[in-house]
Amino acid sequence: MEGMSGPHVIRGSVSLPEAELVWRFSRSSGPGGQHVNTTDTAVELRFDLARTEALPEVWKQRALERLAGRLSDGVVTVRASEHRSQWRNRETAAVRLAALLAEATAPPPRPRRPTRIPRGINERRLREKKQRSETKRGRSPKNWD
């Protein structure tokens, strides 16, 4: 893959290993005129998530769990066909796969610690609500005699 823009980093020092990426090319629809009918510009990139050794085991389990709906036999597939050149579609697919894996392997968010609303704030809210109610009630025509 001489023309590619280097390793696609997932997070930290972990990147997509080129040897584990499987590329498939096909004809793309969309702009390009007769060029589209003769060249294989659409790209399908497959990465065997279940068998990879590139990811730490914890990340791999987390990704397998989060991407379960997208996997087919442990393989995640990304497609790109929006550009007219195969090279740009390859770049797009690799970036998409790296972003997908980065999101899937991210640690879970810290649990929210519930906080209590201070009593003063609640009392002020109720006081302002009552005041607004009085203002509106004062506008009703039944008080106009």
Side-chain angles (χ1 to χ4, degrees):
M1 186 79 57
E2 293 78 46
M4 293 296 279
S5 65
H8 293 281
V9 177
I10 296 173
R11 198 169 58 248
S13 62
V14 180
S15 60
L16 289 173
E18 199 58 49
E20 293 185 23
L21 299 179
V22 179
W23 300 90
R24 212 174 107 213
F25 308 101
S26 60
R27 295 208 174 117
S28 175
S29 62
Q34 293 175 355
H35 169 75
V36 167
N37 301 329
T38 59
T39 55
D40 294 337
T41 56
V43 173
E44 182 179 277
L45 175 58
R46 308 181 101 220
F47 180 67
D48 195 342
L49 187 59
R51 295 187 208 1
T52 187
E53 297 296 320
L55 299 176
E57 196 58 37
V58 177
W59 287 19
K60 188 158 82 167
Q61 291 308 317
R62 201 180 289 154
L64 285 169
E65 197 175 291
R66 290 183 182 168
L67 297 175
R70 273 193 81 144
L71 297 176
S72 173
D73 295 328
V75 177
V76 65
T77 305
V78 175
R79 289 182 185 81
S81 63
E82 51 273 355
H83 301 291
R84 288 173 64 169
S85 81
Q86 185 187 96
W87 182 82
R88 285 181 66 194
N89 281 330
R90 288 174 83 143
E91 282 287 301
T92 302
V95 168
R96 260 190 218 155
L97 180 62
L100 181 72
L101 290 173
E103 191 178 322
T105 59
R110 288 174 52 190
R112 182 186 172 277
R113 225 180 75 220
T115 55
R116 287 188 55 226
I117 298 171
R119 191 170 61 196
I121 289 176
N122 212 18
E123 287 172 356
R124 186 177 68 210
R125 179 183 62 85
L126 293 173
R127 191 171 52 249
E128 288 171 358
K129 196 171 175 179
K130 186 168 258 172
Q131 191 176 2
R132 184 82 177 136
S133 168
E134 290 295 323
T135 304
K136 288 190 167 193
R137 196 157 13 124
R139 295 180 190 155
S140 71
K142 68 180 174 207
N143 294 343
W144 299 357
D145 288 333

